Amino acid sequence: MTNTTEATFEGNIEAHLVGNRWGRLDPSGYDLAIGLFPDEVIEFVKTTQPKAWKQLCDRHSGESMARKRFLENLVKAIDHRGTVSVLRGTVKDSGVTVRLCWFKPANTLAPELIQRYEQNRCAVVRQLHHSESRPNDSLDLVLVVNGIPVATAELKNQLTGQGIEHAMTQYRKDRNPHDKIFTQRTLVHFAVDPHQVAMTTKLDGDKTRFLPFNQGTAGPGNSGSAGNPTNKSGYQTSYLWEQVWQRDAWLELLGTFVHESGGRVLFPRFHQWHAVRSILNATRKDGAGIDRLIQHSAGSGKSNTIAWSAHSLSRLHDDHDQPIFDKVVVITDRKVLDKQLQDTVAGLDHTPGTIVRVDQHSSQLKAALEGNAARIVITTLQKFPVVAALAAQAEAKGEGKEVAGHRFAIIVDEAHSSTSGDAVKQLKKVLGSGDEALEAAEAVEAEAEEADPNDALFQSAKDRGKHKNLSFFAFTATPKPKTLSTFGTTGPDGIKVPFHTYSMRQAIDEGFILDVLANYTTYATYYKLATSHPRNDPELDASKGKSLLARFASLHPYMMDAKAEVIVEHFRQKTASKINGNAKAMVVTRSRLHAVRTKEAIDGYIKRKGYDQGKHPLRALVAFSGTVADPDAPDLSYAEAQMNGFAESQLPKRFREDFQVLVVAEKYQTGFDEPLLHTMYVDKKLSGVKAVQTLSRLNRTHPGKEDTFVLDFANTAEEIQDSFADFYEQSLAQPTDPNALYTMEHDLMAAGVLSVDEMDAATTALLSDDPAQQSVIYTNIGSATGRYVSLDEDAQEDFRGKLQAFCRAYAFVAQVMPWADATLERLFLFGKLLFADLPASPEDPMPQVSKSVQLTHLRLAVTSEGAIALEATGEPGQALPGEGKGASAEPVMDKLSALVAVMNEKYGADLGEADKIWVDQQWTVVMGDEDMQAVATNNDRSQYQLALADKIKDLLLDRHEKNSTLFEQFFANPEFQSMLLHYLGGTYDEFRAQAG
């Protein structure tokens, strides 16, 4: 049955290419010594540049020598400069300039260039024996452009029992990465089966890293996960050869997208390539004046997508051979992006002055906008008000000069943070067409909501057509309703949607970012308050009064110390060993004063415990803007540089190299990409975009980083779930109520796969740490695997899903639930082993590995734990909730004592005597003791201290049932005992004062 073979799959791809303007090359035409198809090279030069070829023949005394010398020079050029540079540039031989590829011109004004472009020789080769070191090795497919190999592909077919994993393994294991075709010729290597595609730009043996090159499943009835949608008319991966390898698209990709620098090749991921092409096609069709929103998740390679878009838009012409835009302006605040964008675009266009980065004076921007040379200008929004002012001054002096051009593409990256409505107005003033609608747009802008990274976009253009010469291309991972309303595309139902989407779910599924909600623990803080002076009971605004009381409680030293202990001990026990011992943590606080107090509390706890000593001292930093005054000490003020001991500009580098914990207030909650960040301690209310942006600081991948963790003091799981729902698009886990584990355990044990005896034997062997016991593990999980395989397909998938869900849930719940269960632990350990051994499911051939974090021996007042399961809301948001009117109710006034009662009811209804703050409680007890009063009145301080030491022991023994924890701390911890006695020594002065 030949229609099930890999060769049939290979032949079908070849047939499609050859039927669509690709040629077919005989593999025997490949010259191993030079890594080229020499006949193809020479034929291309002869056909497209006959004059140059004749000159070469004349200068080398005949065609034979011309062929030899030219090929020698070509090989030297590729080996020295790289394939991309040679294809896009020229090769000189004996004073003769030769091009090795003709890319499609931006317009049709030069017919001879169109003709030469059509004469490019794109060809496919099957079963190419490519290796100098292994003569029998052959590649399934090689793509060749004008005799130069540019891409390879290994194909696999599930009908023969192999898939994409086998193709990747073949590249890693069976291909010599040092062969010329891999090191100095081809740019990308595809692993392909009928369902999935992956690619890599560098073969490196077992270390070769393949990236998914799939479309994703977003669309009607799909939720935006990894993989490819069903193709009713063919292979799921046919888009690769029908779209990406389509002749014009492939030459455009080589001419525009691929970037080679320092031996490294940058090749676009599918969504990047597709987004840029979609932008170009739509803009070519609609012209200037149409805004578009590109929603690409963190981890999407947004910087490169912006760079490719900028370059392509700067060259885009309409059907009448007119440039659609006179200039492309990129608005960003990220210096790293500026450089990366410059480097990427510069690799595509070497014309001096074409790209201008305005990183100093606004006069630079003015000059760049007024000059004709600059096609791409990279700047910040804040420079436009100054440019407008400079233009006004010049005009007043009679020296006015208009901006060169009339149509502008404005690419806005969400990373810019200091935006204002006035700055956007000035941008429009500088670049806008001056139509009458501008005044109406500016009037609406005055009503903009609170500032955030997307406000600049909201205020840039309210409706289509306000400035028909301006097209905004807004890139964001988290579009708010107002951003969608302004820049989104209107769907058939009238709802605004992004023009192009690469979802957070797909980015997580494809492994480009980590799921920051997979390991999430929340717990509540309970407290009671009391009024100090009952006779003084003022009336307060109830809302503001409650906020003040909550702030007071949150800043109380005991509250700070308790949280510092949780943070430091959790970091030491669970986080410090992550990412090969390099893991970092961030503490997110609600205000700058909270940041200062939290930093001091963490430092104090670290010092008391001696954690700042030894080979690996634990150290914390703080980040906040400006200067913070201490309300309890008016003479004291704090600044970030003063507290850290070095300049603010050094913080990212020092944090990465020398410190482990970073306490922040607003700063570094957005735009801070530190891949070593593993854990976040949240002590601040978060919602909406702020929640997503803040928690997403953890999602960057790094070698050795398999997971993340969040401890949240301030938000519920439901609140975080609601915040992510608009941007996440996925639900990954079952509910994580601890008792749900028993339901899951029952279902797994009843499935007919697991045996208690086998589980006991395997887990005993596993926990023995004896290498000789590995065979015991395999024997027992093998039996379970055999029973799993005997199940029907539906039962297999049901069991697999439940086993994975249990392992994920238990990994977190077991570490915070207030009991231990050996049977659940056994099921978890055995389940992880079994899951790794189960055959891959047909729908998901990728290996599945549990990445759950362990939290052992941590006692918290847990309210939820585990993965926060999410799915898209499906409901459109409102750009102006409540019609933009806001709250209008009069403030409600109430007595302070009543507000205290309300707060106590909310946060302390279930608290009793034993929950009092221990040290304060003991002060009250000592002050109520008549014997101690007599000692204080009749003796000096030293005698009082001796009596106090005996008395406090007696008091603790009498009350130890109510204060068991305090009792244990006092008698087991000399440091704590000394601290408590020192503190209570102050009662001596109070007794003496009363007697006085």
Side-chain angles (χ1 to χ4, degrees):
M1 297 177 66
T2 58
N3 63 351
T4 63
T5 65
E6 180 184 306
T8 300
F9 184 38
E10 183 181 307
N12 288 339
I13 296 174
E14 181 196 42
H16 174 84
L17 293 174
V18 173
N20 288 274
R21 300 188 298 150
W22 281 71
R24 180 189 288 115
L25 286 180
D26 190 312
S28 63
Y30 183 67
D31 189 328
L32 278 174
I34 63 175
L36 299 172
F37 288 84
D39 291 344
E40 278 288 286
V41 173
I42 299 303
E43 191 60 32
F44 168 75
V45 177
K46 283 183 180 180
T47 303
T48 62
Q49 299 151 93
K51 291 182 181 179
W53 179 247
K54 185 178 184 303
Q55 286 181 305
L56 288 173
C57 291
D58 291 343
R59 295 182 186 186
H60 290 303
S61 303
E63 185 167 310
S64 176
M65 188 57 68
R67 173 189 174 101
K68 180 177 184 296
R69 294 299 188 195
F70 178 73
L71 289 172
E72 288 175 352
N73 279 319
L74 174 58
V75 167
K76 289 178 182 177
I78 297 176
D79 291 348
H80 176 65
R81 292 157 45 193
T83 297
V84 173
S85 174
V86 169
L87 286 175
R88 290 183 185 156
T90 61
V91 173
K92 285 191 174 183
D93 179 6
S94 303
V96 180
T97 300
V98 178
R99 296 194 70 91
L100 269 300
C101 188
W102 295 93
F103 294 103
K104 192 172 185 177
N107 56 56
T108 61
L109 299 178
E112 68 278 6
L113 295 181
I114 297 293
Q115 181 182 1
R116 288 177 177 175
Y117 167 74
E118 294 296 342
Q119 291 173 327
N120 282 312
R121 302 172 72 87
C122 296
V124 59
V125 188
R126 290 177 63 183
Q127 297 303 318
L128 176 66
H129 289 271
H130 62 283
S131 177
E132 309 94 68
S133 58
R134 302 171 183 172
N136 293 326
D137 280 5
S138 66
L139 289 159
D140 290 341
L141 287 180
V142 177
L143 303 185
V144 181
V145 173
N146 302 326
I148 304 174
V150 293
T152 73
E154 290 291 354
L155 312 178
K156 297 300 171 188
N157 178 14
Q158 276 85 2
L159 298 179
T160 59
Q162 294 192 320
I164 190 174
E165 287 287 347
H166 297 89
M168 291 189 285
T169 299
Q170 190 168 27
Y171 272 119
R172 292 183 177 117
K173 302 287 188 182
D174 302 336
R175 300 288 173 256
N176 183 352
H178 303 294
D179 285 340
K180 184 179 290 290
I181 198 169
F182 299 128
T183 58
Q184 294 176 306
R185 296 296 180 266
T186 51
L187 304 167
V188 63
H189 315 285
F190 294 97
V192 188
D193 71 19
H195 305 299
Q196 297 198 66
V197 181
M199 65 92 171
T200 185
T201 58
K202 181 182 180 181
L203 296 190
D204 192 20
D206 290 338
K207 297 179 182 178
T208 302
R209 185 190 178 203
F210 279 89
L211 305 179
F213 197 77
N214 295 316
Q215 301 175 85
T217 62
N222 295 300
S223 55
S225 62
N228 290 299
T230 301
N231 182 359
K232 295 180 180 179
S233 60
Y235 302 106
Q236 284 181 277
T237 51
S238 63
Y239 66 90
L240 178 64
W241 52 92
E242 292 175 359
Q243 298 179 37
V244 182
W245 293 351
Q246 190 271 339
R247 187 181 187 276
D248 294 325
W250 184 246
L251 287 171
E252 180 192 47
L253 193 152
L254 294 176
T256 301
F257 288 86
V258 184
H259 184 57
E260 195 172 15
S261 177
R264 298 181 62 186
V265 175
L266 173 64
F267 193 90
R269 286 147 57 184
F270 179 82
H271 73 271
Q272 295 173 308
W273 173 83
H274 189 265
V276 176
R277 290 204 20 117
S278 298
I279 289 170
L280 295 181
N281 290 337
T283 305
R284 186 182 293 110
K285 175 178 176 288
D286 297 333
I290 306 297
D291 301 330
R292 292 185 167 89
L293 175 67
I294 296 87
Q295 182 182 355
H296 280 194
S297 167
S300 67
K302 186 152 54 77
S303 299
N304 288 321
T305 308
I306 288 175
W308 287 316
S309 298
H311 173 73
S312 299
L313 288 168
S314 73
R315 301 177 68 251
L316 188 62
H317 284 61
D318 61 21
D319 293 338
H320 303 290
D321 289 325
Q322 296 300 310
I324 294 178
F325 300 111
D326 297 298
K327 291 183 189 293
V328 176
V329 180
V330 181
I331 305 293
T332 178
D333 272 350
R334 293 194 293 177
K335 293 181 180 179
V336 173
L337 173 63
D338 286 349
K339 185 177 188 309
Q340 183 175 353
L341 188 148
Q342 259 195 314
D343 292 345
T344 303
V345 178
L348 307 176
D349 192 336
H350 295 283
T351 307
T354 299
I355 306 153
V356 176
R357 172 181 164 186
V358 179
D359 54 1
Q360 295 181 6
H361 304 296
S362 297
S363 57
Q364 287 181 300
L365 175 58
K366 183 173 181 291
L369 293 173
E370 292 174 346
N372 289 308
R375 298 285 298 169
I376 300 174
V377 180
I378 307 168
T379 187
T380 60
L381 186 64
Q382 289 72 33
K383 287 187 169 54
F384 279 93
V386 182
V387 171
L390 291 173
Q393 292 171 8
E395 186 175 357
K397 295 178 181 178
E399 302 171 353
K401 187 176 180 181
E402 292 185 359
V403 168
H406 301 284
R407 294 178 302 275
F408 299 90
I410 304 171
I411 299 177
V412 189
D413 179 67
E414 69 178 345
H416 63 282
S417 55
S418 53
T419 61
S420 68
D422 182 66
V424 177
K425 285 186 196 176
Q426 301 306 327
L427 180 149
K428 291 181 180 180
K429 184 175 181 180
V430 173
L431 302 179
S433 60
D435 57 43
E436 295 179 358
L438 179 58
E439 289 187 16
E442 291 175 345
V444 177
E445 286 167 4
E447 301 173 8
E449 298 171 6
E450 73 280 2
D452 89 345
N454 286 323
D455 272 342
L457 311 183
F458 175 66
Q459 297 179 59
S460 296
K462 289 297 173 183
D463 301 308
R464 296 180 184 180
K466 291 294 185 183
H467 293 276
K468 294 181 179 180
N469 68 319
L470 305 183
S471 291
F472 283 83
F473 299 89
F475 285 76
T476 177
T478 52
K480 294 175 70 173
K482 65 181 181 182
T483 312
L484 271 168
S485 178
T486 303
F487 297 104
T489 301
T490 303
D493 56 359
I495 301 300
K496 295 276 191 173
V497 296
F499 173 76
H500 196 275
T501 299
Y502 178 71
S503 70
M504 187 185 300
R505 175 180 182 176
Q506 187 174 347
I508 291 169
D509 285 355
E510 292 186 340
F512 291 111
I513 59 173
L514 297 169
D515 182 1
V516 299
L517 303 187
N519 312 339
Y520 209 104
T521 292
T522 65
Y523 70 90
T525 302
Y526 302 99
Y527 61 86
K528 281 187 176 181
L529 301 171
T531 53
S532 302
H533 304 285
R535 294 180 182 177
N536 183 16
D537 196 9
E539 281 195 344
L540 302 172
D541 179 323
S543 177
K544 294 180 180 179
K546 291 174 188 176
S547 296
L548 288 173
L549 292 173
R551 177 180 172 84
F552 169 80
S554 68
L555 285 168
H556 194 283
Y558 297 132
M559 183 84 78
M560 285 289 173
D561 288 344
K563 289 178 179 177
E565 180 177 359
V566 170
I567 290 167
V568 172
E569 293 301 339
H570 177 270
F571 182 88
R572 291 185 66 252
Q573 295 170 24
K574 300 301 152 197
T575 301
S577 61
K578 297 289 184 176
I579 321 180
N580 303 317
N582 296 310
K584 311 289 183 181
M586 178 180 283
V587 185
V588 178
T589 64
R590 65 193 70 182
S591 72
R592 296 185 304 156
L593 181 59
H594 281 86
V596 169
R597 297 275 180 87
T598 300
K599 167 70 159 57
E600 291 179 330
I602 289 174
D603 285 348
Y605 184 81
I606 289 173
K607 186 172 184 179
R608 288 196 300 274
K609 301 294 287 187
Y611 296 155
D612 56 341
Q613 306 298 316
K615 185 181 292 186
H616 302 290
L618 180 58
R619 299 198 291 175
L621 293 172
V622 69
F624 57 88
S625 301
T627 302
V628 179
D630 189 334
D632 295 333
D635 295 336
L636 280 180
S637 64
Y638 301 88
E640 176 186 312
Q642 164 222 331
M643 294 188 73
N644 291 331
F646 51 78
E648 292 182 36
S649 60
Q650 298 180 28
L651 189 145
K653 183 174 184 292
R654 294 295 303 274
F655 178 51
R656 184 179 181 86
E657 295 176 353
D658 305 319
F659 294 79
Q660 297 80 32
V661 179
L662 175 61
V663 182
V664 304
E666 291 301 330
K667 285 183 74 171
Y668 297 107
Q669 283 182 231
T670 60
F672 181 53
D673 296 337
E674 173 49 74
L676 294 177
L677 266 181
H678 174 277
T679 298
M680 184 173 286
Y681 305 99
V682 180
D683 195 21
K684 174 185 181 178
K685 277 290 183 184
L686 295 172
S687 64
V689 172
K690 278 287 188 184
V692 178
Q693 291 178 331
T694 299
L695 295 172
S696 292
R697 296 311 97 212
L698 299 178
N699 67 19
R700 300 308 192 263
T701 59
H702 189 278
K705 184 177 179 181
E706 297 183 342
D707 48 41
T708 64
F709 189 82
V710 180
L711 269 178
D712 196 329
F713 297 99
N715 305 279
T716 67
E718 292 75 18
E719 289 169 339
I720 296 299
Q721 182 182 51
D722 290 343
S723 293
F724 272 73
D726 289 332
F727 316 112
Y728 200 69
E729 300 185 0
Q730 78 168 354
S731 178
L732 291 178
Q734 297 290 328
T736 54
D737 174 56
N739 286 316
L741 294 174
Y742 295 111
T743 302
M744 300 163 79
E745 177 194 34
H746 174 270
D747 291 345
L748 288 170
M749 297 304 298
V753 174
L754 302 175
S755 160
V756 171
D757 291 340
E758 291 168 1
M759 293 166 66
D760 281 332
T763 52
T764 299
L766 175 69
L767 297 174
S768 71
D769 287 331
D770 181 0
Q773 294 294 303
Q774 188 184 76
S775 60
V776 176
I777 297 173
Y778 269 102
T779 297
N780 286 281
I781 63 173
S783 299
T785 300
R787 290 189 290 272
Y788 168 87
V789 172
S790 68
L791 299 174
D792 62 44
E793 185 175 324
D794 289 343
Q796 284 184 10
E797 290 309 300
D798 182 65
F799 179 83
R800 172 191 287 276
K802 287 178 177 177
L803 183 62
Q804 184 180 37
F806 173 82
C807 290
R808 285 180 171 177
Y810 182 83
F812 307 108
V813 177
Q815 309 312 319
V816 293
M817 64 186 187
W819 68 85
D821 190 314
T823 61
L824 292 179
E825 178 73 11
R826 179 184 61 193
L827 178 56
F828 170 69
L829 294 175
F830 187 85
K832 287 203 302 179
L833 297 171
L834 176 60
F835 192 84
D837 194 57
L838 293 179
S841 63
E843 288 78 13
D844 186 9
M846 296 292 189
Q848 299 295 317
V849 180
S850 173
K851 296 181 179 180
S852 299
V853 67
Q854 302 288 325
L855 288 176
T856 59
H857 312 297
L858 180 63
R859 299 286 182 177
L860 296 172
V862 178
T863 54
S864 71
E865 60 281 325
I868 298 179
L870 294 176
E871 59 182 23
T873 62
E875 294 293 327
Q878 296 181 21
L880 291 174
E883 299 181 354
K885 295 178 180 177
S888 58
E890 291 292 326
V892 176
M893 307 301 290
D894 209 340
K895 293 285 189 181
L896 175 61
S897 58
L899 297 180
V900 167
V902 170
M903 297 294 283
N904 288 344
E905 180 65 26
K906 181 176 181 180
Y907 295 106
D910 298 326
L911 302 181
E913 179 72 12
D915 296 301
K916 284 184 178 179
I917 296 174
W918 298 332
V919 178
D920 284 353
Q921 182 181 2
Q922 305 319 307
W923 182 287
T924 303
V925 171
V926 171
M927 288 303 299
D929 189 279
E930 295 181 357
D931 292 340
M932 292 307 299
Q933 182 180 15
V935 173
T937 303
N938 299 301
N939 294 277
D940 61 19
R941 183 181 295 275
S942 61
Q943 293 296 317
Y944 180 82
Q945 287 286 149
L946 292 173
L948 177 63
D950 292 333
K951 173 60 69 171
I952 193 62
K953 292 176 185 178
D954 292 339
L955 291 173
L956 289 175
L957 286 169
D958 291 341
R959 299 170 55 82
H960 99 273
E961 288 185 3
K962 290 185 177 180
N963 279 311
S964 59
T965 306
L966 176 64
F967 176 85
E968 293 168 5
Q969 281 273 10
F970 185 86
F971 288 100
N973 188 338
E975 178 188 350
F976 179 82
Q977 184 178 120
S978 175
M979 181 275 292
L980 182 60
L981 288 172
H982 175 75
Y983 172 75
L984 294 178
T987 55
Y988 177 80
D989 296 317
E990 188 165 339
F991 278 134
R992 300 282 289 190
Q994 291 176 357

